[in-house]
Amino acid sequence: MRARVIMGCRDRARAERAAREIRAEVVEDEGGGGGELVVRELDLASLRSVRAFCHRVLQEEPRLDVLINNAGIFQCPYMKTEDGFEMQFGVNHLGHFLLTNLLLGLLKNSAPSRVVVVSSKLYKYGEINFEDLNSERSYNKSFCYSRSKLANILFARELARRLEGTGVTVNSLHPGIVRTNLGRYVNIPLLAKPLFNLVSWAFFKTPLEGAQTTIYLASSPDVEGVSGKYFGDCKEEELLPKAMDDLIARKLWDISEVMVGLLK
């Protein structure tokens, strides 16, 4: 589509390597290429990094047509972000919450524009416990991942509500189980690894397949004007009632604003 694409990445060296591969592939496919790909440092585990990234985007970019919130950390041991948040909630929800809010003005000025939020089917096992959002009383790495993914959906729904009539749409999605290094913290016994590898090659999606719903929501004319919905395999899907609870969504928004420093 000859877009200017900004890759916001935590690891500069790995990002540059990926960008080189993408540029080479595009030139090969298109016989001369088109569009533009730039790498910018962005660590969602650091509010300072998020603010610096957004500051640069707002200085350099005249418009922003699509924002894809795609960073994620999965079932890690208990760790905290630079700002003292539980890592999965901090990266998967709060980092994206601040990023999106800081870029909202540019998205509105660029309307019609889109926000795409990558969640997970595992949201079904999560609950928003306002008494222990930082998991300091108890920590279960699976539950905390699911909670962060439920938070993604609630955030997308509340943002869609707030942006009604602005020309900015917001939708969330689950990509399916994809063969990436997202599961680097998951311990698989040595003897089971050959079987796991076989199963993953047989049943997991490739990264390209896993990206299809994201690409669809970012670029398809089919979803023009569609907002506040949840998708899987490029189709709208039903959500559990807890992911459509507007009171919880608003309360989570209000608390998140304070946590990331948008409100004192």
Side-chain angles (χ1 to χ4, degrees):
M1 295 178 73
R2 288 171 165 60
R4 173 175 166 84
V5 177
I6 301 166
M7 289 170 59
C9 298
R10 179 171 49 93
D11 186 317
R12 184 85 198 202
R14 282 171 57 207
E16 293 288 4
R17 203 156 55 238
R20 279 195 299 275
E21 288 172 17
I22 294 165
R23 289 187 194 108
E25 203 174 289
V26 170
V27 168
E28 209 172 273
D29 289 350
E30 311 236 346
E36 202 178 349
L37 184 62
V38 295
V39 173
R40 299 284 181 262
E41 280 184 45
L42 171 61
D43 183 354
L44 273 289
S46 161
L47 298 183
R48 179 180 46 81
S49 174
V50 173
R51 289 180 186 280
F53 171 84
C54 292
H55 179 74
R56 186 167 180 185
V57 168
L58 295 173
Q59 294 263 303
E60 296 179 352
E61 306 300 329
R63 59 183 300 110
L64 179 59
D65 301 286
V66 184
L67 172 65
I68 299 173
N69 288 332
N70 180 68
I73 190 163
F74 178 71
Q75 294 192 8
C76 59
Y78 189 77
M79 298 188 275
K80 287 188 174 180
T81 67
E82 180 179 290
D83 305 278
F85 306 127
E86 184 275 312
M87 186 64 75
Q88 294 187 89
F89 190 73
V91 170
N92 300 354
H93 169 60
L94 292 173
H96 288 123
F97 180 87
L98 180 61
L99 176 78
T100 307
N101 272 284
L102 293 178
L103 295 176
L104 265 189
L106 188 55
L107 282 160
K108 286 178 184 173
N109 291 340
S110 309
S113 54
R114 305 179 184 190
V115 178
V116 180
V117 179
V118 181
S119 181
S120 164
K121 263 188 178 172
L122 293 175
Y123 86 86
K124 294 174 181 179
Y125 305 104
E127 299 290 341
I128 306 295
N129 176 6
F130 289 108
E131 304 305 311
D132 192 25
L133 281 178
N134 226 20
S135 303
E136 282 165 335
R137 294 181 192 171
S138 67
Y139 180 70
N140 176 298
K141 62 185 182 181
S142 301
F143 168 81
C144 285
Y145 178 76
S146 295
R147 176 165 66 189
S148 73
K149 295 289 109 180
L150 175 58
N152 287 156
I153 296 169
L154 291 167
F155 163 61
R157 283 179 62 84
E158 175 63 10
L159 182 60
R161 185 187 72 77
R162 288 168 180 253
L163 291 174
E164 278 175 22
T166 63
V168 185
T169 61
V170 190
N171 292 291
S172 58
L173 70 113
H174 74 85
I177 305 174
V178 188
R179 283 198 302 274
T180 68
N181 69 345
L182 181 69
R184 59 190 174 275
Y185 291 110
V186 178
N187 287 320
I188 295 157
L190 200 59
L191 291 173
K193 273 196 173 164
L195 179 61
F196 176 80
N197 291 339
L198 189 65
V199 168
S200 74
W201 279 105
F203 298 107
F204 291 11
K205 292 180 178 181
T206 65
L208 182 60
E209 290 165 343
Q212 290 310 302
T213 307
T214 301
I215 295 166
Y216 173 75
L217 289 175
S219 61
S220 174
D222 295 352
V223 286
E224 197 172 315
V226 174
S227 195
K229 305 298 183 185
Y230 172 74
F231 288 78
D233 291 323
C234 301
K235 296 183 192 73
E236 190 184 331
E237 293 192 359
E238 289 294 312
L239 284 164
L240 293 181
K242 67 180 172 185
M244 297 189 291
D245 188 323
D246 291 337
L247 287 176
I248 296 289
R250 285 177 205 185
K251 186 174 179 181
L252 178 64
W253 181 286
D254 292 344
I255 289 171
S256 299
E257 277 188 318
V258 175
M259 290 176 86
V260 302
L262 286 172
L263 279 184
K264 297 300 178 197

